Amino acid sequence: SVITTILLYTLSQTILLSGFTKLESEMLFSSTQRVLNTVQQELATFSATTADWAYWDDTYEFLDGKNPSFVENNFTEETFSYLHLNMVLIVDSEDRLVYSEFYSAETGFIPSPVRLDAATIASLLSGDVELRASAAGIVEIDGMLFLVASRHILDSRLSAAARGSLVFGRYLDESKLDNLSQTLKTSLSLWPISSPGIMSVANTLQQEQGSGGQGVLVRQLSSTEMASYSFLNDITG
């Protein structure tokens, strides 16, 4: 699969002076670290929520054909809204798609906005055969970014062989970035590292990380503007 590395770009919002002090640079550095930590915390919580649904006898029995009304009874619009879900996939033990649903907060259930071929589905799943293995991270599908968490589907005692996998996804779009920006009080943008004007920054970041750097690059753009940059890796690393 194509590894999509995302560049996190933050702008200071409260610059009042023409020059920048060391303190201001440190504040922007700390703000960027806070953004990275927030994303990782959300992914960890998202993965735990996915586990709640994957390690459930009702889900397990659905893949054995014993609970045919499981999807209709449980994956309602209310569920998608409450859990802030935009995508749910259920695949069997052969990684074949059994159920897929996409949801928009504005319009409700929608047709799939992306292609879900075998390679795409496989890229969302944990390759670890350990029963409690999980995968969580950012993934790009047909140009759309998602926060994704997946878990093996097990019985509630976590003792039986996995019958498949459950994948939950949330859009990582402008609306999501706006919410993060408001929560963290900083301006955010996401860029592929191949974007024009970004590649030199990405190369510098990679060099710094290779030499033991902290993974955040702060630069002064003008007399009134400052930016910090960092990498967000996709689900494959």
Side-chain angles (χ1 to χ4, degrees), residues 135-153:
I138 297 169
V139 66
E140 181 180 8
I141 309 174
D142 292 342
M144 297 183 67
L145 292 176
F146 294 84
L147 295 174
V148 167
S150 68
R151 294 271 186 167
H152 296 312
I153 293 175

Side-chain angles (χ1 to χ4, degrees), residues 21-32 218 226:
T21 67
K22 181 181 178 181
L23 177 61
E24 286 167 328
S25 295
E26 291 174 348
M27 289 174 62
L28 192 54
F29 182 96
S30 297
S31 177
T32 304
V218 179
M226 201 175 197

Side-chain angles (χ1 to χ4, degrees), residues 92-197:
D92 65 15
S93 58
E94 301 296 324
D95 293 350
R96 294 172 299 202
L97 190 62
V98 175
Y99 166 76
S100 67
E101 192 72 78
F102 288 81
Y103 176 82
S104 165
E106 292 76 25
T107 59
F109 291 128
I110 59 174
S112 174
V114 296
R115 292 172 298 159
L116 294 172
D117 56 27
T120 298
I121 293 170
S123 71
L124 306 178
L125 308 179
S126 171
D128 194 332
V129 297
E130 199 276 321
L131 287 182
R132 301 191 192 188
S134 64
I138 297 169
V139 66
E140 181 180 8
I141 309 174
D142 292 342
M144 297 183 67
L145 292 176
F146 294 84
L147 295 174
V148 167
S150 68
R151 294 271 186 167
H152 296 312
I153 293 175
L154 309 172
D155 66 4
S156 59
R157 291 170 294 178
L158 310 183
S159 58
R163 282 192 176 147
S165 296
L166 176 66
V167 180
F168 281 175
R170 291 173 180 159
Y171 294 143
L172 184 54
D173 54 12
E174 289 300 321
S175 175
K176 180 67 175 178
L177 289 179
D178 287 344
N179 289 337
L180 280 172
S181 296
Q182 293 173 18
T183 300
L184 299 171
K185 295 180 172 57
T186 189
S187 180
L188 303 174
S189 295
L190 288 175
W191 304 88
I193 60 172
S194 58
S195 298

Side-chain angles (χ1 to χ4, degrees), residues 5 22 49 81 89 95 137 142 151 190 208-209 219:
T5 306
K22 181 181 178 181
T49 299
S81 177
L89 308 178
D95 293 350
D142 292 342
R151 294 271 186 167
L190 288 175
E208 288 196 354
Q209 287 184 333
R219 280 187 171 178

